[in-house]
Amino acid sequence: MKKKSNKLNLIICGIAFVVMLLYMFFVDKIENLVNSITSINPLFLLIAVGFMCGYWFFEAAGLHIAAKSLDPKVKFKDSLFVTMIGQYFNCITPCATGGQPMQVYYYTKRGLSLGSAMTALVCRFIVYQFILTVYSIVLLVCKLSMFTDGVFKGLTVLVLVGFAVNTAVIVMLFMVAFFRKPTTKLAHGVVKLLAKIKIIKDPDEKIIFIDNELEQYHENFLFIKSKPLLILKMCLLTAVQLFLYFSITYVIYLGFGLSETDLFTIIACQAFVLMISSFVPLPGAMGAAEGSYAAFFGDIFGSFTAFSTFIWRFLTFYLPIIIGLVINLFLTKSGKENLSDMQNNA
């Protein structure tokens, strides 16, 4: 079933890619497309690719220092592979739910214990969500006028919903860490309620599963609390990582020879696109990501909007899928287990 699901998600991603190409060719005027292609400076395209590679590098670096603190034998190349494997499965699964299980599996195949792998990844996830929330708060406060009297009034609700989703995640994580007993009781109550209205079966089994997960998370958080310097380093790496990601659009913008909009405004718009995309339950938030990008950057890029959307989406969504798939095939060919098959049998 999962094998079919993965194939279906890849097919959906492929269809989305074709649709985006068709949009550029048939919705956007052909002369406009030709003008966009000939106007972009190839050097800035290379820089944009470099920024995306930097995003992956800092992701791997943050994850690696957490894993190495738990097992000094872990190698950076393993953390880099884990990062790209996570990127791949996150892109092809709804709400980016497929990445972490595959990352845990690969780390354990490289010699890390299951507990150490889970702790490193949970630590990385908490830090990422925290820094993303801080970014969101700062940008919302500094760029609030973009919604109150700007051209993005119609997107206010979507951005705030996305911000609320990201904030809720980090609040929930800290609630579980600091208010363990009340959170456990709340989780039990939700399970019992869902069982009463026939949404879930076997509530006792679900409660045992939740208790085990909360216990594991609590132990992971104790590790995080005991390593303040490590967490500070991870926070700094994540801040740089997100800056590179949010700045990719600015590099593309400069590549077209444009200069009227400042870096901070473009970073804010890119962060708002991420906020809107975060609550769409489709692989890569397909449709919502492209649509919100075009809505925010339409006035900024003007006639270059369609082509810039394609470049940005290719770098941040399709390129990770391609590289992750190649890595998966490489690991299979070199005699290591096929991660896709592992997921199918999980």
Side-chain angles (χ1 to χ4, degrees):
M1 183 66 183
K2 288 184 179 180
K3 187 174 184 178
K4 291 181 179 178
S5 178
N6 281 340
K7 287 183 177 179
L8 177 61
N9 288 332
L10 279 172
I11 291 171
I12 292 173
C13 293
I15 292 173
F17 181 76
V18 172
V19 169
M20 191 162 57
L21 288 176
L22 292 175
Y23 170 80
M24 287 196 304
F25 278 103
F26 295 107
V27 177
D28 208 7
K29 294 180 180 179
I30 188 67
E31 59 268 24
N32 200 26
L33 177 59
V34 172
N35 180 54
S36 297
I37 294 173
T38 55
S39 297
I40 188 73
N41 187 329
L43 175 61
F44 283 90
L45 285 179
L46 288 175
I47 294 172
V49 172
F51 273 40
M52 194 64 208
C53 291
Y55 171 82
W56 297 327
F57 174 84
F58 282 100
E59 168 84 18
L63 179 59
H64 183 66
I65 62 174
K68 198 169 183 64
S69 69
L70 292 156
D71 186 346
K73 297 188 299 294
V74 67
K75 298 177 181 178
F76 180 75
K77 71 174 184 177
D78 293 329
S79 297
L80 187 58
F81 274 178
V82 164
T83 294
M84 297 314 301
I85 288 166
Q87 292 280 311
Y88 169 65
F89 282 101
N90 282 340
C91 284
I92 67 169
T93 53
C95 299
T97 54
Q100 202 167 70
M102 298 303 102
Q103 291 176 306
V104 169
Y105 174 79
Y106 181 80
Y107 255 150
T108 57
K109 294 296 288 184
R110 305 275 54 79
L112 224 64
S113 68
L114 179 62
S116 294
M118 291 181 64
T119 298
L121 287 161
V122 167
C123 182
R124 172 69 196 143
F125 177 73
I126 292 175
V127 169
Y128 181 87
Q129 285 297 140
F130 175 73
I131 296 300
L132 180 60
T133 302
V134 171
Y135 257 102
S136 302
I137 292 172
V138 171
L139 292 170
L140 275 175
V141 171
C142 294
K143 289 294 181 179
L144 189 61
S145 60
M146 290 175 64
F147 299 109
T148 56
D149 54 13
V151 295
F152 307 119
K153 286 183 180 180
L155 299 169
T156 304
V157 174
L158 293 177
V159 171
L160 292 178
V161 169
F163 172 73
V165 169
N166 285 304
T167 304
V169 170
I170 195 66
V171 169
M172 180 183 68
L173 291 172
F174 281 110
M175 279 185 63
V176 174
F178 291 107
F179 306 101
R180 185 180 173 191
K181 289 184 179 179
T183 305
T184 302
K185 289 181 180 179
L186 177 62
H188 289 182
V190 171
V191 169
K192 292 176 182 177
L193 175 62
L194 293 176
K196 282 184 179 180
I197 58 180
K198 309 298 182 182
I199 291 180
I200 65 171
K201 298 178 181 179
D202 301 320
D204 292 337
E205 182 180 328
K206 295 292 189 299
I207 287 175
I208 292 173
F209 172 78
I210 288 173
D211 287 346
N212 290 336
E213 289 296 308
L214 291 177
E215 176 65 27
Q216 179 66 55
Y217 174 78
H218 186 70
E219 291 178 4
N220 292 340
F221 195 81
L222 290 178
F223 165 79
I224 295 171
K225 285 174 63 178
S226 68
K227 303 284 185 178
L229 185 59
L230 171 69
I231 300 306
L232 177 60
K233 290 179 181 178
M234 292 179 70
C235 285
L236 293 174
L237 290 170
T238 304
V240 175
Q241 176 195 359
L242 286 173
F243 174 79
L244 290 173
Y245 180 85
F246 292 147
S247 299
I248 289 173
T249 300
Y250 186 67
V251 174
I252 298 170
Y253 176 77
L254 294 178
F256 284 112
L258 303 172
S259 59
E260 293 181 1
T261 305
D262 62 275
L263 171 63
F264 189 63
T265 297
I266 288 183
I267 285 178
C269 289
Q270 190 63 74
F272 298 155
V273 169
L274 184 59
M275 288 183 214
I276 292 175
S277 304
S278 63
F279 62 90
V280 177
L282 289 172
M286 287 182 295
E290 294 89 345
S292 56
Y293 183 96
F296 274 107
F297 291 106
D299 287 338
I300 293 173
F301 278 94
S303 62
F304 300 130
T305 301
F307 192 54
S308 71
T309 303
F310 172 78
I311 296 172
W312 168 76
R313 194 60 167 152
F314 180 82
L315 290 177
T316 60
F317 181 61
Y318 295 105
L319 187 58
I321 291 177
I322 293 169
I323 294 178
L325 185 58
V326 169
I327 288 175
N328 185 37
L329 293 173
F330 167 75
L331 293 176
T332 304
K333 190 175 181 180
S334 63
K336 300 177 176 65
E337 284 203 43
N338 188 315
L339 295 173
S340 297
D341 288 344
M342 175 267 162
Q343 188 190 43
N344 299 331
N345 295 325

